[in-house]
Amino acid sequence: MLKKTPILPFILTTSLFALWGFANDITNPLVKAFGTIFNQSQTVSTFVQVAFYGGYCLMAIPAAIFIKKYNYKKGLLIGLALYGLGCLAFIPAAQFGLFQSFLIAYFIMTCGLSFLETSANPYILAMGEEETSTQRLNLAQSFNPIGSITGAYIATNFILGKMNKLGTAERAALPKAQFESIKMADLEVVKGPYVIIGFVLVVMFVLFLIYKMPEYKEKDTSKGLDLKGTFKRLFANARYREGVIAQTFYVGAQITMWTFIVQYGTEVFMGQGISEVDAAEKSSGLQIFALILFAGSRFVFTYLMKYFKPGLLLMILSILAVILLIPVLSSTSQMGLYCIIGVSGCMSLMFPTIYGIALKGVGDDAKLGAAGLVAAIGGGALIPLIQANIIDNAAVSISFVVPLICFVVIAIYGRRAYKTFAV
């Protein structure tokens, strides 16, 4: 799959997949953490994901226009700069002590991540032969969970593990001055890892700035920035159009699974007599196991794609995810936690496979086509809000009907890709 692929540029670009995986999965457990720190509902706290994935969605098209006009390297540099700026914005955010200031920092971060994903995914697809492009993207995406596992580990041990042990109800009973003191101390804990990764990003920016990366120019440069024509061609392509829809539901499912495992696990462990904060920390630790399964499965399924059509594997794994979620809906239980972790193994194949199927054969329209698929990450902003509202008004167990519906949509796309599009 790496035939005709420049190895060092491939390695440098692949390292970025780990960096945005880190951002995604240090953030997911913080929905619960911000709820505790600011003593607010899960629906309000889930605006962390709205800001985070909203940045992806809103910046994807501008990023693609920029990349189409210039090149992939400049897109990567802009992405690294904005990602780093957003991380360093946690310094003033912690000083202000306002939830909204963190939302701004997250939004800036993910404007950068949108540039990175819009640039790096099609860049990897272009680094070699088109016949192996989906396999190559799956290989690069296999390093995304390394960053994800690191992010989840740091969130569990260096943020949730270092926060004050008072739970939501206990904090609500405190005098205002004492509540504010604990809140500000916890926000300093939240700030630390983001500032460190901000300085790592400065180093990465310098590396990409000084290294000469290969360019892959469009064959027909006369098209320029023909946005209307490009989007008309893309959305006339049923495989691409349905791929954007499937990707929206996939990202929504992934974020709900990895965000609300903490809420689900907290209820399970509190039922065993563990305090709320310790139960949340323990639940966040389970996410690490989910991510390890996700990472291992990605390598396995990338190998299996040598023998099975991508669409067929996508359909089978989506159906298995639906089956695993059925016990989760009935009650909060240890078995339900195991099933939630198991779904991560099913999800490992989905994002890059949908991405590769949707972009296959789009040729010169790949840059703006990639933007549509990155904009689909906006599903991670909206779908978790639906689940959070169910948690606040009904039960955490029944809320997992939301990702179940998402996997049904993905299974339909997998079947369409295999049967109708022959991919």
Side-chain angles (χ1 to χ4, degrees):
M1 73 181 75
L2 296 180
K3 187 178 179 181
K4 298 183 181 178
T5 298
I7 298 301
L8 188 54
F10 179 82
I11 291 171
L12 277 173
T13 306
T14 297
S15 71
L16 300 177
F17 288 72
L19 280 173
W20 72 63
F22 177 91
N24 291 337
D25 290 287
I26 193 175
T27 302
N28 290 333
L30 294 188
V31 172
K32 173 65 176 172
F34 279 119
T36 301
I37 292 170
F38 289 99
N39 192 26
Q40 58 196 16
S41 71
Q42 287 305 303
T43 301
V44 173
S45 296
T46 302
F47 272 87
V48 166
Q49 304 292 37
V50 174
F52 194 95
Y53 292 98
Y56 268 113
C57 183
L58 294 176
M59 191 55 66
I61 302 299
I65 293 170
F66 179 90
I67 295 158
K68 189 175 176 71
K69 186 175 181 180
Y70 297 102
N71 56 42
Y72 290 119
K73 177 177 176 177
K74 288 181 179 177
L76 295 174
L77 288 171
I78 294 291
L80 286 166
L82 288 172
Y83 182 6
L85 180 63
C87 288
L88 295 176
F90 273 67
I91 298 172
Q95 293 295 315
F96 294 141
L98 299 172
F99 182 56
Q100 294 88 337
S101 62
F102 286 93
L103 298 184
I104 293 169
Y106 279 122
F107 183 80
I108 295 169
M109 276 177 58
T110 53
C111 285
L113 294 176
S114 187
F115 264 91
L116 290 181
E117 292 214 36
T118 304
S119 304
N121 283 299
Y123 200 20
I124 290 292
L125 290 174
M127 286 184 181
E129 298 178 328
E130 185 174 357
E131 291 77 14
T132 57
S133 59
T134 300
Q135 279 182 275
R136 192 163 52 253
L137 183 58
N138 266 282
L139 176 62
Q141 287 274 0
S142 296
F143 292 88
N144 176 269
I146 296 172
S148 296
I149 292 165
T150 304
Y153 179 83
I154 289 174
T156 300
N157 294 282
F158 295 96
I159 296 181
L160 298 179
K162 301 291 184 182
M163 282 173 49
N164 190 287
K165 297 300 181 183
L166 289 178
T168 305
E170 296 163 309
R171 291 177 188 234
L174 293 173
K176 184 176 180 181
Q178 190 177 353
F179 175 86
E180 286 294 319
S181 176
I182 292 172
K183 181 187 81 173
M184 296 303 288
D186 283 343
L187 292 178
E188 285 296 313
V189 172
V190 170
K191 175 188 80 176
Y194 284 93
V195 173
I196 292 170
I197 198 66
F199 287 115
V200 171
L201 290 163
V202 171
V203 174
M204 290 298 296
F205 179 89
V206 173
L207 284 175
F208 273 86
L209 183 65
I210 63 177
Y211 188 79
K212 184 173 175 58
M213 302 290 284
E215 290 190 25
Y216 297 95
K217 296 184 181 296
E218 295 182 346
K219 296 175 185 176
D220 183 6
T221 55
S222 66
K223 288 179 184 175
L225 292 174
D226 178 20
L227 297 181
K228 184 178 178 180
T230 299
F231 283 120
K232 186 177 180 179
R233 287 189 297 273
L234 286 170
F235 283 94
N237 182 333
R239 184 173 63 218
Y240 175 81
R241 184 177 64 247
E242 293 172 23
V244 171
I245 295 169
Q247 200 73 293
T248 301
F249 280 93
Y250 167 69
V251 176
Q254 176 186 294
I255 303 311
T256 58
M257 295 302 299
W258 289 348
T259 298
F260 299 117
I261 187 176
V262 178
Q263 283 78 352
Y264 187 95
T266 299
E267 283 204 6
V268 172
F269 295 129
M270 285 179 69
Q272 298 172 2
I274 300 175
S275 71
E276 180 186 351
V277 173
D278 287 337
E281 181 183 347
K282 189 172 182 179
S283 301
S284 181
L286 289 177
Q287 187 190 4
I288 296 172
F289 291 106
L291 291 167
I292 291 170
L293 178 61
F294 182 88
S297 299
R298 175 70 63 76
F299 287 102
V300 171
F301 292 126
T302 298
Y303 175 77
L304 288 177
M305 288 178 78
K306 290 174 63 178
Y307 307 102
F308 298 95
K309 291 282 189 180
L312 178 61
L313 281 174
L314 182 65
M315 179 182 71
I316 291 170
L317 291 172
S318 301
I319 293 170
L320 182 56
V322 170
I323 293 169
L324 284 170
L325 280 171
I326 292 171
V328 178
L329 300 180
S330 60
S331 64
T332 48
S333 65
Q334 199 78 39
M335 177 58 71
L337 277 174
Y338 296 145
C339 289
I340 291 173
I341 292 170
V343 170
S344 290
C346 301
M347 293 194 300
S348 63
L349 179 84
M350 294 181 183
F351 184 93
T353 301
I354 295 169
Y355 197 102
I357 291 170
L359 284 185
K360 195 173 183 66
V362 302
D364 296 340
D365 295 330
K367 288 179 181 177
L368 287 176
L373 288 160
V374 173
I377 292 175
L382 300 176
I383 293 172
L385 269 182
I386 298 170
Q387 186 163 350
N389 193 260
I390 296 173
I391 292 171
D392 283 336
N393 294 287
V396 68
S397 57
I398 197 65
S399 75
F400 279 86
V401 71
V402 174
L404 185 148
I405 293 168
C406 293
F407 288 121
V408 170
V409 174
I410 299 161
I412 293 169
Y413 181 67
R415 187 180 188 282
R416 289 269 294 162
Y418 177 59
K419 292 286 189 180
T420 305
F421 309 132
V423 179

